[in-house]
PDB file of all heavy atoms in Angstrom:
ATOM      1  N   MET A 159     109.020  91.529  96.920  1.00 88.00           N
ATOM      2  CA  MET A 159     109.502  91.935  95.674  1.00 88.00           C
ATOM      3  C   MET A 159     108.961  93.298  95.281  1.00 88.00           C
ATOM      4  O   MET A 159     109.554  94.137  94.768  1.00 88.00           O
ATOM      5  CB  MET A 159     109.325  91.017  94.660  1.00 88.00           C
ATOM      6  CG  MET A 159     109.815  91.264  93.287  1.00 88.00           C
ATOM      7  SD  MET A 159     109.695  89.880  92.089  1.00 88.00           S
ATOM      8  CE  MET A 159     107.981  89.701  91.949  1.00 88.00           C
ATOM      9  N   ALA A 160     107.736  93.533  95.493  1.00 85.00           N
ATOM     10  CA  ALA A 160     106.973  94.776  95.192  1.00 85.00           C
ATOM     11  C   ALA A 160     107.634  95.933  95.965  1.00 85.00           C
ATOM     12  O   ALA A 160     107.895  96.966  95.510  1.00 85.00           O
ATOM     13  CB  ALA A 160     105.543  94.696  95.336  1.00 85.00           C
ATOM     14  N   CYS A 161     107.826  95.651  97.309  1.00 84.00           N
ATOM     15  CA  CYS A 161     108.456  96.643  98.177  1.00 84.00           C
ATOM     16  C   CYS A 161     107.731  98.028  98.031  1.00 84.00           C
ATOM     17  O   CYS A 161     108.386  99.096  97.943  1.00 84.00           O
ATOM     18  CB  CYS A 161     109.902  96.843  97.792  1.00 84.00           C
ATOM     19  SG  CYS A 161     110.971  97.620  99.026  1.00 84.00           S
ATOM     20  N   ILE A 162     106.407  98.000  98.117  1.00 84.00           N
ATOM     21  CA  ILE A 162     105.607  99.270  98.170  1.00 84.00           C
ATOM     22  C   ILE A 162     104.855  99.292  99.423  1.00 84.00           C
ATOM     23  O   ILE A 162     104.090  98.451  99.755  1.00 84.00           O
ATOM     24  CB  ILE A 162     104.671  99.171  96.956  1.00 84.00           C
ATOM     25  CG1 ILE A 162     105.433  99.334  95.634  1.00 84.00           C
ATOM     26  CG2 ILE A 162     103.628 100.407  97.012  1.00 84.00           C
ATOM     27  CD1 ILE A 162     104.522  99.218  94.399  1.00 84.00           C
ATOM     28  N   LYS A 163     105.062 100.407 100.146  1.00 78.00           N
ATOM     29  CA  LYS A 163     104.370 100.583 101.371  1.00 78.00           C
ATOM     30  C   LYS A 163     103.055 101.326 101.204  1.00 78.00           C
ATOM     31  O   LYS A 163     102.011 101.038 101.976  1.00 78.00           O
ATOM     32  CB  LYS A 163     105.207 101.321 102.424  1.00 78.00           C
ATOM     33  CG  LYS A 163     106.504 100.515 102.789  1.00 78.00           C
ATOM     34  CD  LYS A 163     107.328 101.316 103.809  1.00 78.00           C
ATOM     35  CE  LYS A 163     108.458 100.432 104.315  1.00 78.00           C
ATOM     36  NZ  LYS A 163     109.306 101.141 105.323  1.00 78.00           N
ATOM     37  N   THR A 164     103.035 102.303 100.363  1.00 84.00           N
ATOM     38  CA  THR A 164     101.781 103.068 100.167  1.00 84.00           C
ATOM     39  C   THR A 164     101.251 102.751  98.779  1.00 84.00           C
ATOM     40  O   THR A 164     101.861 102.964  97.704  1.00 84.00           O
ATOM     41  CB  THR A 164     102.094 104.564 100.241  1.00 84.00           C
ATOM     42  OG1 THR A 164     102.709 104.937 101.482  1.00 84.00           O
ATOM     43  CG2 THR A 164     100.803 105.370 100.022  1.00 84.00           C
ATOM     44  N   ILE A 165     100.019 102.225  98.766  1.00 90.00           N
ATOM     45  CA  ILE A 165      99.383 101.865  97.508  1.00 90.00           C
ATOM     46  C   ILE A 165      98.434 103.026  97.004  1.00 90.00           C
ATOM     47  O   ILE A 165      97.789 103.710  97.684  1.00 90.00           O
ATOM     48  CB  ILE A 165      98.395 100.610  97.755  1.00 90.00           C
ATOM     49  CG1 ILE A 165      99.137  99.520  98.506  1.00 90.00           C
ATOM     50  CG2 ILE A 165      97.889 100.113  96.391  1.00 90.00           C
ATOM     51  CD1 ILE A 165     100.336  99.009  97.736  1.00 90.00           C
ATOM     52  N   PRO A 166      98.613 103.369  95.687  1.00 90.00           N
ATOM     53  CA  PRO A 166      97.779 104.413  95.191  1.00 90.00           C
ATOM     54  C   PRO A 166      96.308 104.129  95.439  1.00 90.00           C
ATOM     55  O   PRO A 166      95.836 102.947  95.372  1.00 90.00           O
ATOM     56  CB  PRO A 166      97.970 104.251  93.605  1.00 90.00           C
ATOM     57  CG  PRO A 166      99.408 103.698  93.471  1.00 90.00           C
ATOM     58  CD  PRO A 166      99.537 102.810  94.711  1.00 90.00           C
ATOM     59  N   LYS A 167      95.507 105.070  95.847  1.00 90.00           N
ATOM     60  CA  LYS A 167      94.156 104.867  96.264  1.00 90.00           C
ATOM     61  C   LYS A 167      93.216 104.328  95.338  1.00 90.00           C
ATOM     62  O   LYS A 167      92.336 103.517  95.591  1.00 90.00           O
ATOM     63  CB  LYS A 167      93.495 106.255  96.786  1.00 90.00           C
ATOM     64  CG  LYS A 167      94.140 106.747  98.018  1.00 90.00           C
ATOM     65  CD  LYS A 167      93.522 108.084  98.496  1.00 90.00           C
ATOM     66  CE  LYS A 167      94.058 108.645  99.778  1.00 90.00           C
ATOM     67  NZ  LYS A 167      93.404 109.802 100.318  1.00 90.00           N
ATOM     68  N   ASP A 168      93.456 104.496  93.996  1.00 90.00           N
ATOM     69  CA  ASP A 168      92.594 103.926  93.046  1.00 90.00           C
ATOM     70  C   ASP A 168      92.935 102.454  92.715  1.00 90.00           C
ATOM     71  O   ASP A 168      92.192 101.764  91.975  1.00 90.00           O
ATOM     72  CB  ASP A 168      92.733 104.728  91.646  1.00 90.00           C
ATOM     73  CG  ASP A 168      94.095 104.797  91.099  1.00 90.00           C
ATOM     74  OD1 ASP A 168      95.110 104.462  91.830  1.00 90.00           O
ATOM     75  OD2 ASP A 168      94.333 105.193  89.930  1.00 90.00           O
ATOM     76  N   ILE A 169      94.005 101.961  93.319  1.00 93.00           N
ATOM     77  CA  ILE A 169      94.328 100.538  93.155  1.00 93.00           C
ATOM     78  C   ILE A 169      93.807  99.659  94.374  1.00 93.00           C
ATOM     79  O   ILE A 169      93.545  98.491  94.233  1.00 93.00           O
ATOM     80  CB  ILE A 169      95.888 100.405  93.101  1.00 93.00           C
ATOM     81  CG1 ILE A 169      96.392 101.080  92.003  1.00 93.00           C
ATOM     82  CG2 ILE A 169      96.226  98.960  93.006  1.00 93.00           C
ATOM     83  CD1 ILE A 169      96.085 100.553  90.591  1.00 93.00           C
ATOM     84  N   ILE A 170      93.451 100.377  95.491  1.00 93.00           N
ATOM     85  CA  ILE A 170      93.052  99.594  96.722  1.00 93.00           C
ATOM     86  C   ILE A 170      91.826  98.806  96.495  1.00 93.00           C
ATOM     87  O   ILE A 170      91.830  97.631  97.040  1.00 93.00           O
ATOM     88  CB  ILE A 170      93.039 100.683  97.871  1.00 93.00           C
ATOM     89  CG1 ILE A 170      94.464 101.060  98.251  1.00 93.00           C
ATOM     90  CG2 ILE A 170      92.212 100.057  99.086  1.00 93.00           C
ATOM     91  CD1 ILE A 170      94.415 102.062  99.415  1.00 93.00           C
ATOM     92  N   PRO A 171      90.713  99.288  95.867  1.00 94.00           N
ATOM     93  CA  PRO A 171      89.632  98.471  95.717  1.00 94.00           C
ATOM     94  C   PRO A 171      89.883  97.154  95.067  1.00 94.00           C
ATOM     95  O   PRO A 171      89.427  96.126  95.419  1.00 94.00           O
ATOM     96  CB  PRO A 171      88.602  99.360  94.948  1.00 94.00           C
ATOM     97  CG  PRO A 171      89.059 100.738  95.230  1.00 94.00           C
ATOM     98  CD  PRO A 171      90.595 100.714  95.384  1.00 94.00           C
ATOM     99  N   LEU A 172      90.702  97.205  93.987  1.00 95.00           N
ATOM    100  CA  LEU A 172      91.184  96.004  93.253  1.00 95.00           C
ATOM    101  C   LEU A 172      91.962  95.145  94.058  1.00 95.00           C
ATOM    102  O   LEU A 172      91.762  93.956  94.145  1.00 95.00           O
ATOM    103  CB  LEU A 172      91.836  96.387  91.992  1.00 95.00           C
ATOM    104  CG  LEU A 172      92.536  95.287  91.210  1.00 95.00           C
ATOM    105  CD1 LEU A 172      91.435  94.313  90.633  1.00 95.00           C
ATOM    106  CD2 LEU A 172      93.351  95.785  90.068  1.00 95.00           C
ATOM    107  N   LEU A 173      92.941  95.751  94.852  1.00 94.00           N
ATOM    108  CA  LEU A 173      93.802  94.949  95.733  1.00 94.00           C
ATOM    109  C   LEU A 173      93.028  94.174  96.826  1.00 94.00           C
ATOM    110  O   LEU A 173      93.246  93.028  96.957  1.00 94.00           O
ATOM    111  CB  LEU A 173      94.759  95.928  96.424  1.00 94.00           C
ATOM    112  CG  LEU A 173      95.762  95.286  97.351  1.00 94.00           C
ATOM    113  CD1 LEU A 173      96.891  94.674  96.484  1.00 94.00           C
ATOM    114  CD2 LEU A 173      96.372  96.322  98.279  1.00 94.00           C
ATOM    115  N   VAL A 174      92.025  94.816  97.413  1.00 94.00           N
ATOM    116  CA  VAL A 174      91.273  94.148  98.435  1.00 94.00           C
ATOM    117  C   VAL A 174      90.336  93.056  97.826  1.00 94.00           C
ATOM    118  O   VAL A 174      90.233  91.994  98.384  1.00 94.00           O
ATOM    119  CB  VAL A 174      90.320  95.214  99.178  1.00 94.00           C
ATOM    120  CG1 VAL A 174      89.364  94.516 100.160  1.00 94.00           C
ATOM    121  CG2 VAL A 174      91.201  96.165  99.944  1.00 94.00           C
ATOM    122  N   ARG A 175      89.723  93.361  96.698  1.00 94.00           N
ATOM    123  CA  ARG A 175      88.937  92.364  96.013  1.00 94.00           C
ATOM    124  C   ARG A 175      89.772  91.097  95.671  1.00 94.00           C
ATOM    125  O   ARG A 175      89.313  89.964  95.838  1.00 94.00           O
ATOM    126  CB  ARG A 175      88.283  92.903  94.781  1.00 94.00           C
ATOM    127  CG  ARG A 175      87.375  91.850  94.011  1.00 94.00           C
ATOM    128  CD  ARG A 175      86.653  92.540  92.888  1.00 94.00           C
ATOM    129  NE  ARG A 175      87.475  93.195  91.939  1.00 94.00           N
ATOM    130  CZ  ARG A 175      88.069  92.558  90.857  1.00 94.00           C
ATOM    131  NH1 ARG A 175      87.925  91.211  90.798  1.00 94.00           N
ATOM    132  NH2 ARG A 175      88.842  93.156  90.088  1.00 94.00           N
ATOM    133  N   LEU A 176      90.908  91.258  95.116  1.00 94.00           N
ATOM    134  CA  LEU A 176      91.760  90.181  94.850  1.00 94.00           C
ATOM    135  C   LEU A 176      92.263  89.519  96.019  1.00 94.00           C
ATOM    136  O   LEU A 176      92.389  88.208  96.095  1.00 94.00           O
ATOM    137  CB  LEU A 176      92.905  90.647  93.918  1.00 94.00           C
ATOM    138  CG  LEU A 176      92.558  91.017  92.501  1.00 94.00           C
ATOM    139  CD1 LEU A 176      93.848  91.544  91.758  1.00 94.00           C
ATOM    140  CD2 LEU A 176      91.877  89.961  91.772  1.00 94.00           C
ATOM    141  N   GLY A 177      92.615  90.278  97.049  1.00 93.00           N
ATOM    142  CA  GLY A 177      93.111  89.694  98.368  1.00 93.00           C
ATOM    143  C   GLY A 177      92.126  88.789  99.012  1.00 93.00           C
ATOM    144  O   GLY A 177      92.517  87.846  99.644  1.00 93.00           O
ATOM    145  N   LEU A 178      90.853  89.114  98.919  1.00 93.00           N
ATOM    146  CA  LEU A 178      89.916  88.254  99.566  1.00 93.00           C
ATOM    147  C   LEU A 178      89.519  87.038  98.836  1.00 93.00           C
ATOM    148  O   LEU A 178      88.663  86.299  99.281  1.00 93.00           O
ATOM    149  CB  LEU A 178      88.476  89.139  99.705  1.00 93.00           C
ATOM    150  CG  LEU A 178      88.754  90.426 100.705  1.00 93.00           C
ATOM    151  CD1 LEU A 178      87.441  91.193 100.661  1.00 93.00           C
ATOM    152  CD2 LEU A 178      89.005  89.881 102.087  1.00 93.00           C
ATOM    153  N   GLU A 179      90.188  86.786  97.749  1.00 90.00           N
ATOM    154  CA  GLU A 179      89.916  85.491  96.968  1.00 90.00           C
ATOM    155  C   GLU A 179      90.552  84.362  97.673  1.00 90.00           C
ATOM    156  O   GLU A 179      90.187  83.163  97.296  1.00 90.00           O
ATOM    157  CB  GLU A 179      90.332  85.724  95.540  1.00 90.00           C
ATOM    158  CG  GLU A 179      89.469  86.564  94.743  1.00 90.00           C
ATOM    159  CD  GLU A 179      89.930  86.769  93.273  1.00 90.00           C
ATOM    160  OE1 GLU A 179      91.079  86.197  93.000  1.00 90.00           O
ATOM    161  OE2 GLU A 179      89.210  87.378  92.465  1.00 90.00           O
ATOM    162  N   ASP A 180      91.435  84.599  98.519  1.00 86.00           N
ATOM    163  CA  ASP A 180      92.272  83.494  99.054  1.00 86.00           C
ATOM    164  C   ASP A 180      92.804  83.869 100.409  1.00 86.00           C
ATOM    165  O   ASP A 180      93.087  84.918 100.676  1.00 86.00           O
ATOM    166  CB  ASP A 180      93.569  83.148  98.253  1.00 86.00           C
ATOM    167  CG  ASP A 180      94.305  82.049  98.677  1.00 86.00           C
ATOM    168  OD1 ASP A 180      94.055  80.784  98.220  1.00 86.00           O
ATOM    169  OD2 ASP A 180      95.252  82.107  99.353  1.00 86.00           O
TER     170      ASP A 180
END
Side-chain angles (χ1 to χ4, degrees):
M159 180 169 66
C161 197
I162 293 179
K163 293 184 178 180
T164 302
I165 311 298
K167 290 184 178 180
D168 57 347
I169 301 293
I170 287 179
L172 174 64
L173 184 77
V174 172
R175 179 171 60 80
L176 293 178
L178 292 173
E179 291 179 354
D180 184 88

